[in-house]
Amino acid sequence: MLELLFINSLNAFSDDYKALCQHHYPTIHNRGMSPAHLSAAFQRRLLALVKQEYTDVECSMHSYDTNHDLYIYTVVIENKKIWLIYPQFLNAKTEAKDQIFSAIKQLVKESKIKRSDHLAILCDHWYDRTRSSKTLYHWWTGNLPAVGISFNHQGIHNLIPEDNDDLAIIMQKKFQIACINRSIFHPLETTNKHALLKYFLCFALFECSTN
């Protein structure tokens, strides 16, 4: 149920995203959307879809890390709690990844996350020529893009990380949190209306079993 809800929200959010970028946030084309704007815009879309089917819904901001510009929200849908983490992911280097893990580690340490909870991560990234950026697709999804998708034509050369580790493996090892879905979306378009593959909108959904 939650997986389908998030996928439907992300698919609908693609249209919201294009409108936001066109009319309000031209800097998206240089730095990506700030976690403040990304979290606010996606939460609106998610809650709009949730409230079409459920009446018992609560949403609140749990915390904001000013040093790393990382937001954590909670959404409760009929007693099911989802933790939503919106990190700043300007690059895909170790430090940016560690900020996600540090936020989850703190939630676990404070016994905030319960066994029945779910956790979602949403962030964006502009592809660059660093190795960390080239390995992001595989690190996030566990796979390279399907053959036939025109990444090379847009100057993108996806690589497998040298340690062959990925997000789902790390989450399972560190926190005993199982991955349900990890996806990459490309909501922006090129001038000829093809998906702009250099822009990554990264989503992951996990089921918690920490307690």
Side-chain angles (χ1 to χ4, degrees):
M1 179 274 289
L2 284 179
E3 181 180 10
L4 182 60
L5 173 62
F6 273 100
I7 294 304
N8 288 343
S9 297
L10 285 161
N11 287 333
F13 183 56
S14 293
D15 293 332
D16 301 342
Y17 206 98
K18 291 182 181 70
L20 287 168
C21 294
Q22 181 178 358
H23 298 295
H24 299 290
Y25 307 115
T27 55
I28 183 68
H29 299 287
N30 298 316
R31 304 277 294 174
M33 188 177 286
S34 72
H37 289 140
L38 180 58
S39 60
F42 181 71
Q43 296 277 128
R44 282 195 299 270
R45 171 56 67 177
L46 175 64
L47 292 174
L49 290 183
V50 169
K51 290 178 180 179
Q52 290 178 8
E53 298 188 34
Y54 304 95
T55 56
D56 187 7
V57 180
E58 297 178 11
C59 177
S60 61
M61 188 173 75
H62 173 74
S63 63
Y64 169 53
D65 183 342
T66 56
N67 293 326
H68 301 113
D69 201 15
L70 182 147
Y71 287 78
I72 300 178
Y73 282 81
T74 60
V75 174
V76 180
I77 305 171
E78 296 191 343
N79 297 320
K80 290 183 179 294
K81 178 175 280 190
I82 307 106
W83 297 85
L84 295 105
I85 298 178
Y86 299 92
Q88 180 73 275
F89 221 64
L90 293 177
N91 61 62
K93 295 180 180 178
T94 301
E95 181 182 357
K97 296 170 182 175
D98 283 347
Q99 290 169 13
I100 298 174
F101 302 138
S102 295
I104 298 171
K105 182 179 179 180
Q106 188 63 32
L107 291 176
V108 172
K109 181 180 178 181
E110 296 173 355
S111 298
K112 298 293 186 181
I113 296 180
K114 306 301 181 184
R115 181 180 291 275
S116 59
D117 292 353
H118 287 75
L119 184 145
I121 304 170
L122 183 65
C123 58
D124 65 358
H125 174 71
W126 273 104
Y127 176 86
D128 59 41
R129 295 184 179 181
T130 63
R131 183 171 182 83
S132 57
S133 189
K134 292 177 181 178
T135 58
L136 173 62
Y137 195 103
H138 190 283
W139 185 83
W140 195 274
T141 66
N143 298 287
L144 290 175
V147 175
I149 300 179
S150 308
F151 281 88
N152 286 342
H153 292 164
Q154 294 191 23
I156 302 170
H157 304 284
N158 293 294
L159 301 174
I160 297 175
E162 292 178 352
D163 56 12
N164 207 32
D165 234 354
D166 64 43
L167 175 61
I169 292 173
I170 295 171
M171 293 286 280
Q172 184 65 52
K173 286 180 178 178
K174 284 180 174 289
F175 309 112
Q176 294 78 54
I177 293 178
C179 184
I180 297 175
N181 183 292
R182 44 185 175 153
S183 308
I184 286 180
F185 295 79
H186 304 283
L188 300 183
E189 296 177 342
T190 63
T191 53
N192 55 0
K193 300 301 180 181
H194 292 149
L196 182 61
L197 300 178
K198 288 188 175 182
Y199 184 76
F200 294 75
L201 187 61
C202 304
F203 168 76
L205 178 65
F206 300 88
E207 185 174 15
C208 305
S209 57
T210 55
N211 293 326

